[in-house]
Amino acid sequence: MTSSFTLKFIAACASATLATGLFSSALAAESIKVTVNGMVCAFCAQGIEKRLAKMPATQAVFVDLKKKIVAVEAKDGQTLDGPAISHEITEAGYDVVKLETIQQSVAEIKAQTKAAK
């Protein structure tokens, strides 16, 4: 039989874990981060952003010209199609160097990119 103390202890640990964000990676948004060559201006970034924003699973898009990064975040409960994202970028005239799926939101990626400048 579980004691009252044990139940209180478990509840306190769970609350502390949630408060410190240890479960945040389990709840993090899925995004695809792409390294792209050939982007040289704001028009390039805008074109890629518009193409990727039209994809059905896309929640948000972030383009960083200086770091040559494009990040695409999935809508809740949806999965991004990496090959389709790569195809859209190459069809727009750019080279995809690297594509990786990460558990971060576009806002988090944007904040990290800005902090690294």
Side-chain angles (χ1 to χ4, degrees):
M1 184 179 268
T2 307
S3 72
S4 174
F5 172 78
T6 304
L7 290 175
K8 288 179 184 176
F9 178 76
I10 291 170
C13 288
S15 294
T17 301
L18 287 172
T20 58
L22 293 177
F23 280 127
S24 63
S25 63
L27 302 173
E30 177 184 283
S31 297
I32 291 184
K33 187 174 172 183
V34 188
T35 304
V36 179
N37 279 340
M39 298 186 301
V40 294
C41 65
F43 184 75
C44 298
Q46 184 181 27
I48 289 173
E49 189 172 342
K50 282 183 178 181
R51 287 180 84 111
L52 298 178
K54 289 180 184 177
M55 297 180 78
T58 300
Q59 171 74 27
V61 181
F62 168 66
V63 180
D64 186 311
L65 287 172
K66 290 181 182 178
K67 297 207 183 254
K68 301 179 181 184
I69 292 172
V70 175
V72 184
E73 181 180 337
K75 291 179 182 173
D76 287 340
Q78 302 225 6
T79 303
L80 295 168
D81 183 349
I85 289 171
S86 182
H87 176 76
E88 286 295 324
I89 293 170
T90 55
E91 282 293 307
Y94 307 98
D95 296 321
V96 173
V97 177
K98 181 180 177 184
L99 187 139
E100 59 184 316
T101 301
I102 57 175
Q103 296 300 314
Q104 287 182 307
S105 69
V106 162
E108 291 169 322
I109 295 166
K110 189 175 184 177
Q112 284 178 347
T113 304
K114 300 264 185 216
K117 287 184 180 181

